[in-house]
Amino acid sequence: GCGTGLCGPLLAPYARRLLGVDLSRGMLKLAAEKQAYHELIHAELTRFLEEHPDEFDVIVSADTLVYFGALEEVATAAAASLRPGGVLVFTVEDAGEEHASSWMLCRHGRYAHGPEYVRRLVSDVGLDTHIARGELRRESGLPVAGLIVRATKPGGSGTTGAGSASGEHHG
């Protein structure tokens, strides 16, 4: 979900068309105040992606998938909605080495995902991947360790900017 739209103003200069999708009408109202999106859509993210195959050049999901445990369904939908050469960029909290090949529910109510799990997942849906570690945000004054993932759908000659979907949630 695009949440309050914090990524919208950062992405808008690079998008011919920028869509925001969120399940919460309240979040969409806050995103609309940013005046960065061409269209805001009230829908569940996975279902929306499933209904738009081969439509997007870029999908950005910042701080959204921390609200998903298993990522197989949303990753499959995202991969199918990308055009050849399209790019999926997303963040998840890092589950650490103890849970490197799986995911876990954290005490704060969000999920964390292991790098091996994410790498395998992205590969299984047919995307080439690059994963970096980084600080996603600060919570109670402490850095939140995360994985920053860039996954590319094979084919195509790169992105054209003809369509973009943005997802983010800061809650």
Side-chain angles (χ1 to χ4, degrees), residues 108-130:
H108 52 55
R110 290 185 296 270
Y111 292 90
H113 299 83
E116 291 173 26
Y117 169 76
V118 172
R119 191 176 326 283
R120 183 181 66 249
L121 167 82
V122 172
S123 176
D124 287 352
V125 298
L127 303 178
D128 300 324
T129 187
H130 173 77

Side-chain angles (χ1 to χ4, degrees), residues 86-134:
V87 178
L88 167 64
V89 177
F90 66 93
T91 62
V92 291
E93 291 185 19
D94 190 347
E97 294 308 313
E98 185 178 333
H99 298 279
S101 61
S102 62
W103 52 271
M104 60 184 252
L105 179 61
C106 299
R107 294 165 73 201
H108 52 55
R110 290 185 296 270
Y111 292 90
H113 299 83
E116 291 173 26
Y117 169 76
V118 172
R119 191 176 326 283
R120 183 181 66 249
L121 167 82
V122 172
S123 176
D124 287 352
V125 298
L127 303 178
D128 300 324
T129 187
H130 173 77
I131 300 175
R133 285 192 157 93

Side-chain angles (χ1 to χ4, degrees), residues 35-86:
Q35 299 183 344
Y37 295 92
H38 294 93
E39 186 175 357
L40 291 164
I41 300 160
H42 179 243
E44 193 279 326
L45 181 62
T46 304
R47 299 294 158 257
F48 175 81
L49 292 170
E50 288 173 342
E51 294 168 0
H52 294 85
D54 299 312
E55 190 166 321
F56 301 108
D57 295 315
V58 178
I59 299 170
V60 176
S61 183
D63 207 25
T64 300
L65 300 183
V66 296
Y67 298 99
F68 289 65
L71 299 176
E72 285 77 6
E73 191 175 355
V74 69
T76 299
S81 71
L82 287 172
R83 292 183 177 129

